[in-house]
Amino acid sequence: MFNRSSDITSDFIEKLNVTKTLYSKFDSAAEKSVSEVLIREALEDVYKRGNSILTGFLILHFFLGLSFVYFFEASWGIYLSIGTSILVLFFLCEYYYPYKFLTRVFAGVSLLIFVLLYIIILRGYPEARFFFFTSFTILIVYQDWKALWPSALLFLIQIVFFALAASYPKFLPDYIPHEYKDAILNMVTDDSQGILLAHFKTKLMLYVGIICLQVTLTGLWAHFLRRQTISEVLDKQSLLTKQIEIEQANTQLEDNVRKKTRELQEALESTQANEEELRQNMEELHATQEEMENQRKILLENQKLMKAVEIELRERQSKMERSQWLESNLSRFDDVMRLNYDKNLEDFSDIIMLHLAELMGATQGAFYVYDEENDSLNMTGGYACTPQSVKKAQFRSGEGVLGQIIKTKKRIELNDLPDESAYIESALTKVKNKSVIIEPLLYNEDVQGVIEIALLSSLDDIQLEFLKRLAKNIASMLQSIRGILRTQKLLVQSQDIASKFQSNARELEKTKLEVEKKAFEFQSQFKAIDRSMLVIECSVEGDILRANENFLKLSKYNLDELEGKHQSIFLDENYVKSTAFNQLWDQIQKNDFAHTEHQCLNKLGNFFWIQANYYSLGLGKNKKVMILAYDITLQKEQDRKIRDSLKMLQEKELILRKNLEITKELREEVSKKANELQEQMNAINVSTAMAEYDGSGIIQLVNDKFSEILGYHKEELLGQSHKILVKNKFAQSKSYQKLWDKLRSKQFIDGDFEFVNKSGAVVWLQGSYYPVTDKEGNLVKVLQLASDISNEIYQEEKIKDYLIELEKKQSQLQNQTDELRAYLEAIDQATGIIEMDPEGKILRTNEKFLKLLNYTNRELLGKHHRILVPKDYAQTQAYRSFWNKLDQQKIIEGEFIGITGNASEIKIWSTYVPVLGTNKRVDKVIGLVAPLIQK
């Protein structure tokens, strides 16, 4: 209900869709749900205030009685003893039981005792009993009608006692004055006619009636005050609840902004993680190059021992007869997978299942690939079945036997299959399968897929072992098919070059010299890698022989403290005693290579993590173990991505180990190693920007990637100074001079570098400068390897701008919320507001409404709206139509006749607005009322 002429009305109705949600959450049910704790606290305040008032009132009565004793010459001793005892007892009750019913009752009894003392001191004057009414009236401050009745009953007993004792005055105490006895005798006569006695009974009943009426009225008054106190608590609780709702809405908004900010930060961190992964790959590539150089030296040192190794292999040949079938078939499957790496996943799955079914004698087979996003297995191919022909081609985690494998990661063998589910049919026959084997494809304990095959008979141990190892190989292929593609290319090219070297042996020496020349250059690069990696050399028993500076800095040890000590000095004690640690060294001694991660302790007792590759170098007494490791303390959370990158190194190392077993001639091995190094450099040229500078910063060589990023042709860069690639201001600065001073002093530099392309735009490159030296330690050139991170830098700047914009919007939203809250408060103060439920029950009114219609909250809350309209109008169809329109979510406004609290009529302009709840139905009705402005 708003005044039509008020500008506030139209704005409020327009914004009602914003505030209706808040209003719809408060109703009488919510107010009644206020906790008893709040009501008890409010009443305890009332009791405390009542005790203070009664304390002063009793002290006043005590001193008033002293004045009566003085003027009427009554007994001081009796009054002081009784009056003081009453005060002391009340103070004790107030101190020990301030909020108890006993204290309130004793307060009334104390007042009554003082009134009885006044009656005795005033010698029975009836007027003294008026003190009884004042005493009962003051007890209203406790707002407890029950506390009034005990003292009232005691007063009634006093009247009846003295009335009956009048017939036997000799039994009255001596301290009661004679005049008081006479007064009582005047009330009760010895007339045997009984006329005066009947008059006394009438008078006594009048006394009792007056007392009961007084106590009833004061009790009702106290009861209504108590209800008003509770109502105020309810109103306060309702206001606090609304404030909490608004604060919760603001908190939720802040949480949403924080969540969006957190998501943007996570996206930024993911981008930085990708950059770090690229850097790790580069370091791994250089580690592989260093290991290749070490392998070449090992081959030279162990050429004389090849015959002894060959004899040892022949001795072991008898032990390998059982596993020959296993290894040969695994090798054959490796060839099949390598030959079909370039096919799509469906064709790859069909080929694997075809060869597996032929080898194992399976009648049917299905190949499933694990989908991490949906946490499910999807069939991609099969043997004697297709994803379209099977009953179910997708299994979620935990769904059926296949879905359970995602959780258990264990093989499942189903034997003695029932007849109705174990047949395979063809056009000519119908065959019963005996068993089904479901094998998980695991890579680093992560499920990559599942193979399911049906067989006419059970498999023996060697076949099951073959299936287990084949599953690991297939999982590895699924995990790193791109890495296998690159490896196969290297193998094919290596074989071509090897055949060329066999036909032209005379060029071996020339090739050897070229390789040695390249080796010197690579050796300088490997020194740069040694500065960026953790390198440890150990004996085959695990005793430390050497450790580089990076590891010493990380572990806080000196070389003297580590040399000759066992590797366990920096490992966790529990891990050293575990089976996994023993298995690690068994694997190193048997397979020549191992890859693992260690949680280590430095000299100060702090933990750090390293990711280590163990390489077995040499044979016999010269055999030792080389550990190449990375500090992955900060990257531990990115373990999965790092394992993927290291898998490529493991595959390359496996190829090197196989080449060692097969190679018999030094010339072939040298050519293969040289070719692999060259191909890896070619791979760098394709994927990474590379440039070479002389000691003066003159560009000697750039690859296609470098030219593409900076927009120059190679011819435009060769012979130019490095300064043309950076801003002029930076080229003339001391920082630029310091950069080249460090490079000339053969210091390794990495980081993010700002370049300028041919068109003048800024380009950001992330990478490193590697000083390359010759055998004498002289600087030959500076090698730069880098990748373009311009998009990531620009994206980071956009994210920062977006975060600033979010903060601005949040501030604007907070200002709008404060403005709306102030707006609602202004409306509440300027306009009469009434809230009702859909049935017309009044839930809330504001002060403006109460003053306009001359009501109180107690008179309106819980009553129907019809008490505010004329009675004849409340019975009409128009009034019922009024509520039907509101139920149909229509806004009603116009001139109405209202009935005030004093039953008079007033013309008002009212607007009734239905407020919808969460169920899209009318939850309450808000009325805005203003006095009608007469024209």
Side-chain angles (χ1 to χ4, degrees):
M1 297 175 285
F2 273 141
N3 191 328
R4 181 185 293 273
S5 62
S6 175
D7 294 334
I8 300 176
T9 303
S10 59
D11 293 340
F12 176 78
I13 295 175
E14 290 177 359
K15 294 184 178 180
L16 193 58
N17 59 341
V18 177
T19 59
K20 66 182 181 182
T21 302
L22 293 176
Y23 278 104
S24 64
K25 293 181 180 178
F26 303 105
D27 53 17
S28 59
E31 293 177 344
K32 292 179 181 177
S33 64
V34 65
S35 63
E36 295 181 357
V37 176
L38 294 177
I39 296 178
R40 185 172 66 252
E41 291 177 353
L43 292 178
E44 286 178 353
D45 292 338
V46 172
Y47 298 154
K48 184 177 181 181
R49 184 172 63 251
N51 289 337
S52 300
I53 295 175
L54 262 296
T55 299
F57 208 70
L58 285 174
I59 294 173
L60 178 63
H61 269 272
F62 179 77
F63 285 106
L64 182 62
L66 289 177
S67 64
F68 288 159
V69 171
Y70 175 78
F71 287 109
F72 289 90
E73 299 179 352
S75 173
W76 288 92
I78 295 176
Y79 180 79
L80 289 175
S81 61
I82 295 176
T84 304
S85 299
I86 291 300
L87 287 178
V88 171
L89 290 175
F90 176 75
F91 292 154
L92 290 175
C93 289
E94 182 184 6
Y95 181 78
Y96 288 104
Y97 309 104
Y99 309 122
K100 297 295 184 180
F101 181 71
L102 173 65
T103 302
R104 300 192 290 276
V105 171
F106 191 77
V109 172
S110 300
L111 291 173
L112 175 63
I113 293 175
F114 275 111
V115 172
L116 294 180
L117 289 174
Y118 294 165
I119 294 174
I120 294 173
I121 294 172
L122 297 178
R123 296 177 173 82
Y125 291 155
E127 291 79 1
R129 290 185 170 86
F130 283 106
F131 285 107
F132 162 78
F133 300 109
T134 60
S135 301
F136 268 74
T137 302
I138 199 62
L139 288 177
I140 294 175
V141 297
Y142 282 121
Q143 300 182 12
D144 187 358
W145 64 271
K146 296 179 182 179
L148 302 176
W149 283 102
S151 56
L153 293 176
L154 185 61
F155 190 73
L156 291 173
I157 292 172
Q158 176 265 146
I159 293 176
V160 174
F161 171 77
F162 280 114
L164 294 176
S167 301
Y168 306 96
K170 61 182 180 179
F171 294 106
L172 292 176
D174 294 335
Y175 59 81
I176 297 179
H178 180 73
E179 293 81 357
Y180 185 77
K181 298 178 183 178
D182 292 342
I184 295 177
L185 294 175
N186 289 334
M187 291 173 59
V188 182
T189 179
D190 293 332
D191 190 296
S192 60
Q193 300 293 327
I195 298 175
L196 293 178
L197 182 60
H199 177 70
F200 163 73
K201 291 180 179 180
T202 302
K203 198 171 183 181
L204 181 63
M205 294 301 294
L206 180 61
Y207 264 112
V208 173
I210 291 173
I211 291 171
C212 292
L213 178 61
Q214 172 70 11
V215 175
T216 301
L217 291 176
T218 53
L220 289 174
W221 190 358
H223 175 66
F224 286 132
L225 288 176
R226 185 187 188 92
R227 288 189 60 184
Q228 183 177 3
T229 299
I230 295 175
S231 176
E232 291 174 355
V233 173
L234 293 175
D235 292 340
K236 182 178 179 181
Q237 176 67 11
S238 176
L239 179 60
L240 291 175
T241 304
K242 292 180 181 179
Q243 293 176 350
I244 291 173
E245 289 288 339
I246 295 174
E247 292 174 358
Q248 289 176 347
N250 292 336
T251 302
Q252 184 178 5
L253 177 62
E254 294 175 358
D255 291 341
N256 291 336
V257 174
R258 292 194 193 99
K259 181 178 180 183
K260 188 65 178 177
T261 304
R262 198 160 49 245
E263 290 176 354
L264 293 173
Q265 291 175 346
E266 289 175 355
L268 178 60
E269 292 173 357
S270 176
T271 302
Q272 295 174 347
N274 292 334
E275 298 171 1
E276 182 63 22
E277 182 180 4
L278 179 59
R279 175 188 174 89
Q280 293 288 341
N281 288 337
M282 292 175 58
E283 294 177 353
E284 291 164 5
L285 177 60
H286 290 293
T288 304
Q289 293 173 348
E290 182 181 6
E291 182 58 25
M292 289 178 178
E293 177 65 17
N294 292 334
Q295 292 294 342
R296 187 186 66 82
K297 294 179 180 180
I298 292 170
L299 286 173
L300 294 174
E301 294 173 356
N302 297 317
Q303 183 179 13
K304 297 179 181 179
L305 299 175
M306 290 296 292
K307 292 182 180 180
V309 174
E310 185 177 356
I311 294 172
E312 184 179 357
L313 290 175
R314 289 175 182 175
E315 292 175 352
R316 295 180 181 178
Q317 185 176 0
S318 59
K319 299 179 182 179
M320 297 175 61
E321 289 179 355
R322 178 172 174 79
S323 62
Q324 184 177 7
W325 177 87
L326 176 64
E327 296 297 337
S328 61
N329 284 295
L330 286 174
S331 178
R332 183 164 67 88
F333 265 87
D334 288 341
D335 293 337
V336 170
M337 288 188 289
R338 283 195 293 269
L339 291 174
N340 293 279
Y341 69 88
D342 56 344
K343 299 184 182 298
N344 57 41
L345 192 57
E346 289 75 13
D347 293 341
F348 178 80
S349 303
D350 289 337
I351 292 172
I352 293 299
M353 294 311 301
L354 173 62
H355 286 79
L356 181 61
E358 292 176 352
L359 180 63
M360 309 297 288
T363 57
Q364 277 186 314
F367 191 101
Y368 296 84
V369 176
Y370 178 62
D371 184 353
E372 292 181 354
E373 294 182 358
N374 298 320
D375 196 17
S376 64
L377 290 172
N378 300 322
M379 182 177 175
T380 57
Y383 176 77
C385 62
T386 64
Q388 293 76 25
S389 64
V390 297
K391 294 182 179 180
K392 189 175 181 63
Q394 185 183 50
F395 294 86
R396 294 190 176 275
S397 178
E399 181 181 5
V401 177
L402 286 169
Q404 188 64 25
I405 282 188
I406 299 177
K407 294 184 175 181
T408 62
K409 303 177 182 178
K410 295 180 180 180
R411 174 195 298 157
I412 295 178
E413 297 184 37
L414 303 177
N415 298 314
D416 299 326
L417 299 176
D419 295 341
E420 62 272 15
S421 63
Y423 282 98
I424 176 67
E425 295 183 352
S426 67
L428 302 178
T429 184
K430 183 177 183 182
V431 182
K432 179 180 183 299
N433 290 318
K434 297 295 184 181
S435 63
V436 171
I437 296 179
I438 305 173
E439 182 71 31
L441 305 179
L442 300 180
Y443 176 73
N444 287 336
E445 297 303 319
D446 293 331
V447 175
Q448 304 297 326
V450 170
I451 291 177
E452 179 183 16
I453 57 174
L455 302 156
L456 297 176
S457 61
S458 301
L459 298 179
D460 57 19
D461 294 340
I462 191 65
Q463 289 175 319
L464 293 175
E465 178 65 20
F466 166 77
L467 189 60
K468 179 180 179 181
R469 293 182 59 180
L470 178 62
K472 291 183 178 180
N473 293 343
I474 296 175
S476 299
M477 178 60 70
L478 289 177
Q479 181 69 15
S480 58
I481 191 168
R482 292 182 180 178
I484 294 176
L485 175 62
R486 183 179 300 174
T487 301
Q488 289 179 342
K489 288 181 178 180
L490 292 175
L491 285 175
V492 172
Q493 295 173 358
S494 176
Q495 292 172 357
D496 292 340
I497 295 176
S499 62
K500 293 179 181 179
F501 272 107
Q502 290 176 354
S503 62
N504 193 7
R506 292 176 299 177
E507 297 181 1
L508 176 60
E509 292 300 326
K510 182 179 178 180
T511 303
K512 184 176 180 181
L513 293 175
E514 292 179 355
V515 170
E516 290 179 352
K517 183 178 179 180
K518 292 182 179 179
F520 284 122
E521 294 182 1
F522 287 138
Q523 187 176 9
S524 299
Q525 297 181 12
F526 296 154
K527 289 181 180 179
I529 293 174
D530 182 71
R531 297 177 182 176
S532 61
M533 295 184 62
L534 309 175
V535 181
I536 307 169
E537 290 184 8
C538 298
S539 66
V540 292
E541 290 79 17
D543 296 330
I544 300 173
L545 303 177
R546 187 183 73 86
N548 70 345
E549 288 297 326
N550 291 339
F551 183 80
L552 295 177
K553 290 180 181 178
L554 183 62
S555 63
K556 308 301 181 183
Y557 284 100
N558 296 325
L559 182 59
D560 296 337
E561 295 174 329
L562 291 180
E563 190 171 2
K565 300 296 180 62
H566 194 268
Q567 181 197 11
S568 59
I569 189 175
F570 58 82
L571 296 179
D572 182 70
E573 182 178 356
N574 294 329
Y575 175 68
V576 173
K577 296 179 180 179
S578 66
T579 305
F581 184 73
N582 295 329
Q583 291 176 349
L584 171 67
W585 280 96
D586 291 341
Q587 182 181 353
I588 293 171
Q589 295 174 359
K590 293 178 181 179
N591 299 334
D592 298 333
F593 170 77
H595 167 70
T596 186
E597 294 176 357
H598 294 306
Q599 185 181 27
C600 306
L601 281 170
N602 62 19
K603 185 178 179 180
L604 303 179
N606 299 323
F607 285 103
F608 64 93
W609 279 87
I610 64 172
Q611 184 184 74
N613 295 325
Y614 289 77
Y615 299 90
S616 294
L617 308 178
L619 294 174
K621 296 181 179 180
N622 296 324
K623 189 173 182 179
K624 61 181 178 180
V625 177
M626 175 70 71
I627 304 175
L628 300 179
Y630 302 95
D631 180 9
I632 60 168
T633 305
L634 299 179
Q635 291 80 22
K636 183 60 180 173
E637 295 179 358
Q638 301 174 351
D639 183 50
R640 183 176 61 83
K641 293 183 179 180
I642 295 176
R643 288 201 305 269
D644 293 343
S645 299
L646 292 178
K647 179 60 176 64
M648 184 182 297
L649 294 178
Q650 185 179 4
E651 292 296 330
K652 292 178 181 179
E653 182 60 27
L654 181 60
I655 294 172
L656 292 176
R657 185 172 59 84
K658 290 182 179 180
N659 288 338
L660 288 175
E661 297 174 353
I662 298 173
T663 303
K664 296 180 180 180
E665 299 294 335
L666 179 59
R667 292 176 299 175
E668 295 178 1
E669 185 62 30
V670 171
S671 63
K672 289 182 180 180
K673 296 301 180 182
N675 180 69
E676 288 178 3
L677 291 175
Q678 187 60 45
E679 288 300 323
Q680 289 181 3
M681 294 303 297
N682 293 338
I684 293 176
N685 292 334
V686 173
S687 60
T688 306
M690 184 176 69
E692 292 183 3
Y693 312 92
D694 62 11
S696 302
I698 303 301
I699 302 172
Q700 303 294 325
L701 175 68
V702 295
N703 66 352
D704 294 336
K705 192 69 175 179
F706 192 90
S707 301
E708 177 186 346
I709 293 175
L710 293 177
Y712 288 97
H713 294 293
K714 291 183 178 180
E715 294 75 12
E716 295 176 310
L717 292 175
L718 296 180
Q720 298 293 329
S721 174
H722 176 269
K723 293 182 178 181
I724 70 168
L725 303 177
V726 299
K727 291 183 177 180
N728 292 331
K729 184 177 180 180
F730 176 65
Q732 304 301 324
S733 66
K734 293 183 179 180
S735 298
Y736 183 80
Q737 185 64 35
K738 187 177 179 180
L739 170 69
W740 281 98
D741 289 343
K742 287 183 178 180
L743 293 175
R744 293 186 189 99
S745 62
K746 292 166 282 188
Q747 295 185 33
F748 169 84
I749 300 176
D750 65 344
D752 299 340
F753 304 98
E754 185 179 14
F755 281 71
V756 178
N757 63 15
K758 185 177 179 180
S759 61
V762 174
V763 176
W764 284 91
L765 297 181
Q766 183 184 66
S768 306
Y769 289 92
Y770 300 93
V772 180
T773 60
D774 56 16
K775 291 188 295 184
E776 287 75 20
N778 299 320
L779 182 66
V780 176
K781 60 183 176 181
V782 176
L783 176 65
Q784 181 185 10
L785 298 176
S787 59
D788 186 4
I789 61 168
S790 301
N791 292 334
E792 289 79 358
I793 296 296
Y794 297 150
Q795 182 180 9
E796 181 179 354
E797 294 176 353
K798 290 181 180 179
I799 290 174
K800 291 180 180 179
D801 295 339
Y802 184 71
L803 290 176
I804 295 173
E805 185 66 23
L806 276 179
E807 293 178 357
K808 291 181 180 179
K809 291 184 178 179
Q810 182 181 6
S811 176
Q812 293 175 358
L813 185 57
Q814 182 64 38
N815 293 335
Q816 293 176 359
T817 302
D818 295 339
E819 181 182 354
L820 181 59
R821 184 181 295 128
Y823 185 77
L824 293 175
E825 291 176 357
I827 291 175
D828 188 72
Q829 295 176 3
T831 307
I833 300 176
I834 180 173
E835 293 183 10
M836 300 168 287
D837 63 12
E839 287 72 32
K841 183 180 178 182
I842 299 173
L843 304 177
R844 188 184 76 87
T845 58
N846 68 347
E847 291 296 329
K848 192 72 175 180
F849 183 90
L850 296 175
K851 290 181 181 179
L852 178 62
L853 295 180
N854 195 20
Y855 281 100
T856 64
N857 262 325
R858 283 187 306 182
E859 294 173 330
L860 292 181
L861 294 182
K863 304 296 180 60
H864 195 275
H865 173 265
R866 65 172 62 92
I867 70 171
L868 301 176
V869 300
K871 292 183 178 180
D872 54 349
Y873 174 69
Q875 305 299 325
T876 63
Q877 180 63 32
Y879 187 69
R880 289 191 291 272
S881 177
F882 166 80
W883 283 102
N884 289 336
K885 290 181 179 179
L886 291 176
D887 188 58
Q888 296 171 6
Q889 306 175 12
K890 296 181 179 179
I891 297 177
I892 301 176
E893 62 179 353
E895 179 181 338
F896 294 90
I897 301 296
I899 302 299
T900 64
N902 53 15
S904 63
E905 294 185 353
I906 182 175
K907 289 186 178 182
I908 56 177
W909 183 270
S910 305
T911 301
Y912 294 90
V913 181
V915 178
L916 304 184
T918 56
N919 56 0
K920 303 301 182 181
R921 295 184 179 179
V922 177
D923 188 62
K924 64 172 61 176
V925 176
I926 297 179
L928 309 175
V929 63
L932 186 65
I933 298 177
Q934 302 293 336
K935 296 183 179 179

